[in-house]
Structure formats: structure tokens, C-alpha cells
Amino acid sequence: MKFSQLPVLALAATAIAAPPVQKRAGGCSSAVKLDASTNVWKKYTLHANSFYRGEIEAALSSMDESTAAKAQEVAKVGSFLWLDTIENINKLQPVLDDGVPCDHILGLVIYDLPGRDCAAKASNGELKVGEINKYKTQYIDVVAGLLKANPNTAFALVIEPDSLPNLVTNSDVQACKNSAAGYRDGVAYALKTLNLPNVVMYLDAGHGGWLGWDANLKPGAQELAKAYKAAGSPKQFRGIATNVAGWNSWDMSPGEFASASDAKYNKCQNEKIYVTEFGAALKSAGMPNHAIVDTARNGVQGLREEWGNWCNVKGAGFGIRPSADTGLELADAFVWVKPGGESDGTSDSSAVRYDSFCGKSDAYQPSPEAGQWHQAYFEDLINNANPSF
């Protein structure tokens, strides 16, 4: 229940009067050199970046006192910063200026391929098919320049969510056919150019309900391995990122869709099994196979009507906090890649970027455009968090 206007204003005043978050010391005293042959998350903590913290702080005044207190705890949890347009590269410098302690690693999502999100509409990008040179020179090269200019800071990169998995399972979609060459060229260029001593890289690999099907494991691994090899087998490449912006459980058994009629064709009913099975396929394909798993919004299971439903799932809650304690050697860490509270896509069917998945009965409605702040949904994530705040 929301407070009346007076208590809300009082809460806002209290928040404003509270001591400001102290600026952290920035970076290390010398250049960072990450060993991508090891699990860097055992040494580094995922940084709680100031951009996401700012989004949360701006949302406090519209919450009741209990939820606002929990939200302030969410703001302390490390999460990835999405550089999803050329303009949004500008988000990075203020985060660096705010300070990243020497024992922290700053997570960044590289996400701006030409013809992005070829099998959906909600997250279509700014670059058109064929604008690969613009991607390389105005996006990847600029990001690389910033990482080089901050050698004393550690960075973890998730490379191009949904891109290569789409080429495996949506090859019959014309938009994906058109985008394929640019995806492969762009991903290889990103891996090669961002191969810096202070960086560790993970290539997006979808999730168990996507590439985990028996028929997709081998071709999926081969597609990703081709990109890794085309990049020259970069030294700072560690493996894959799974469940990015997703909902799958880490180790729920039986899995959420284990009773479905087609479950016999997919043994990867949770992400733990997927990391193991796909990891084996990657090893056979000649690619590093360790993983990070996005647990930002998988705290509640049994919400989706179908495994492929991905948009603003109703009833979801924040999940396991970032940690290197996964219990599986192949899984480097649980991380929060998707900043909870940023929408997956609009439910407005008249919008240009409307995707029908955002209008399904298990999708929260109304919802704003992808990436925009979704206040009501954020509050649900807090109140449904498992473990709770």
C-alpha cells in the first residue's frame, strides 16, 4: 500500500537529507593484468555501478518506506552496465569517475550489432544491417579506447547478448539471414579488439531453454567457437554468459518445464545442467568453456506459460546475489547482468518496437520501452526477491 502524499514527501526529504554515498577510490595503483585462465571472480567483486544506483535513488520517493529501504540495499548489489548504443558509451565515464575499488571488477555489456535482435522487435538496435564499419569504428573502437585509458581498473565484458544464438535457432528468419554476416564479423572484431590485459570476456550463449535442446548443443557450440577462433583465440576470453536477462533457475530439479511434452528433447532443464552440457560441447569445439550465469531476476519459478516467454515476466523476483560460490567448477560466478527495473519491452501494441511476447498473459502490463525504467516492476522484483532483502 502506498503512503499518502505527505509521508511520501517526508520520505523523499529524509532520503535527500541522508549522507551522500562516499566516492570510492578509483582503480589500483598499478596496471591490472587479469589471468583469464583462472576464475577472476574469486578475487574480484562485481562493482555496484553509479548509473544503476542513480536509477534506484531516483525511484525512492515513490515507494513506501519498507520497499524504499530494500531498494537501497539493491543499489549496493553489483550489476552490469549496458552500453547498448553509441551514445550510451557516455554512461561509462561517470561510473569510472565515481570510482571502482581495486578489488572490484566493472561489468559491461557490449550490445550494438548491426541488425541487433533479429528475431524480435523490442530490443532492435540503432545500427542497420550492413553498418558493420560504423559498429567497429564508432562503437567497439571507442569502448576499447576507454578501457585502454583505464588500465588500473578491471573489466568483465558480456559480448552481444542473443546474437549468435539467434543464428543457430532462427536461421529461417529473413532478418537473421540478413544479419548473419555482420553478427559473425562484428563479434569476432569485438573479441579481438577488446582483448586487453585488464579485461575478461564472456560470449553470450543464450540459456538452457534455447541452445540446451539436444539438436542445438553441438551447432551452438560450433557457432560460438567459430567466432572465438575468427578473433584469433584471444587470451582474455574466458567462456560464456548464460541466462542473460533470463528467468531460468540455477539448479531447480525437476526444472520449470520438465513436465512439458517435449522435455525429453532437452536435458538442460536448469542452468547448472546447461553450463555442464554446453560446456562439454564447447570443449569439443575447441573453445574456453567457463561460464557466468545471470541470476538477477530468477528468484521465483513457475511463472511462465512457455519456456520461450521472455518479456517482463509477472511475479518475478531478484535472485541469488553475485557470488563466485556456485558449487560447479565450470561456473565462475552468479552475476547480475540485467539491471532489474529496466524494462524488457513495451506492452503498447501500437508502438514500433512492440513485440507480441510483451503482450502475453504472463508479461507484466503496462510496460514501457526496452531499457526504460519500470517502477512498478522494480518494486515487484524487490518484494518477490529470493533470497529476500
Side-chain angles (χ1 to χ4, degrees):
M1 181 178 180
K2 293 283 188 281
F3 282 151
S4 65
Q5 184 65 19
L6 182 60
V8 167
L9 291 174
L11 177 60
T14 300
I16 292 171
V21 176
Q22 294 296 312
K23 183 176 180 179
R24 299 176 182 271
C28 302
S29 58
S30 59
V32 171
K33 293 186 178 180
L34 299 179
D35 182 357
S37 69
T38 66
N39 183 1
V40 301
W41 303 94
K42 291 184 177 181
K43 179 180 178 181
Y44 292 92
T45 298
L46 181 60
H47 184 61
N49 68 76
S50 60
F51 181 83
Y52 186 46
R53 184 172 72 237
E55 288 186 305
I56 294 173
E57 289 174 348
L60 293 176
S61 63
S62 61
M63 301 179 195
D64 62 55
E65 186 174 6
S66 174
T67 305
K70 293 176 182 178
Q72 289 174 312
E73 293 303 309
V74 174
K76 299 175 184 177
V77 178
S79 63
F80 277 64
L81 178 69
W82 289 59
L83 307 181
D84 53 2
T85 65
I86 291 170
E87 181 180 0
N88 281 342
I89 296 174
N90 293 326
K91 291 180 179 179
L92 179 53
Q93 192 59 55
V95 170
L96 293 168
D97 292 343
D98 182 67
V100 180
C102 189
D103 61 347
H104 283 202
I105 189 166
L106 180 57
L108 303 176
V109 178
I110 304 302
Y111 187 51
D112 201 25
L113 278 172
R116 192 181 73 193
D117 206 11
C118 63
K121 296 180 180 178
S123 298
N124 287 164
E126 63 180 348
L127 300 181
K128 298 177 182 179
V129 172
E131 293 189 307
I132 189 64
N133 287 335
K134 189 173 182 180
Y135 173 77
K136 292 178 178 179
T137 60
Q138 297 185 36
Y139 180 70
I140 293 297
D141 289 354
V142 176
V143 173
L146 285 168
L147 304 190
K148 290 177 182 177
N150 291 273
N152 294 11
T153 299
F155 296 92
L157 309 184
V158 169
I159 306 296
E160 296 295 350
D162 298 350
S163 58
L164 299 185
N166 265 322
L167 300 188
V168 177
T169 63
N170 292 304
S171 59
D172 58 334
V173 176
Q174 189 60 48
C176 292
K177 290 181 182 179
N178 297 342
S179 299
Y183 280 16
R184 293 180 175 122
D185 186 8
V187 168
Y189 185 83
L191 292 176
K192 182 177 182 178
T193 306
L194 300 171
N195 184 43
L196 304 169
N198 56 329
V199 168
V200 62
M201 296 182 287
Y202 296 86
L203 181 56
D204 182 76
H207 54 78
W210 193 344
L211 297 186
W213 297 91
D214 296 351
N216 295 340
L217 284 168
K218 184 176 180 179
Q222 291 175 337
E223 183 70 57
L224 270 64
K226 287 178 184 177
Y228 164 71
K229 293 172 184 177
S233 302
K235 182 180 179 182
Q236 298 307 113
F237 184 85
R238 176 67 173 169
I240 59 173
T242 82
N243 206 41
V244 170
W247 317 93
N248 291 350
S249 168
W250 165 241
D251 60 1
M252 178 180 172
S253 183
E256 185 176 1
F257 296 98
S259 61
S261 60
D262 57 0
K264 61 184 177 181
Y265 303 112
N266 187 334
K267 64 175 69 72
C268 302
Q269 293 291 321
N270 60 47
E271 291 302 287
K272 185 175 183 180
I273 299 173
Y274 178 55
V275 168
T276 301
E277 295 293 327
F278 196 61
L282 289 170
K283 184 177 181 180
S284 295
M287 184 183 118
N289 61 349
H290 285 79
I292 52 174
V293 181
D294 189 356
T295 58
R297 304 185 300 176
N298 72 346
V300 183
Q301 295 296 304
L303 303 173
R304 291 171 290 174
E305 294 182 353
E306 297 179 8
W307 207 346
N309 292 3
W310 51 264
C311 191
N312 301 316
V313 175
K314 286 192 298 188
F318 284 117
I320 304 169
R321 314 295 187 262
S323 170
D325 185 15
T326 67
L328 182 68
E329 193 277 332
L330 275 181
D332 283 350
F334 302 132
V335 293
W336 282 16
V337 181
K338 173 69 176 184
E342 294 182 4
S343 178
D344 293 319
T346 180
S347 59
D348 179 1
S349 60
S350 67
V352 173
R353 297 173 76 196
Y354 171 73
D355 190 292
S356 62
F357 279 90
C358 299
K360 287 181 174 280
S361 60
D362 57 6
Y364 190 103
Q365 300 176 51
S367 290
E369 291 279 0
Q372 292 184 5
W373 189 253
H374 196 333
Q375 181 71 22
Y377 197 77
F378 176 67
E379 294 185 31
D380 278 358
L381 288 172
I382 292 173
N383 292 319
N384 297 330
N386 179 26
S388 62
F389 282 94

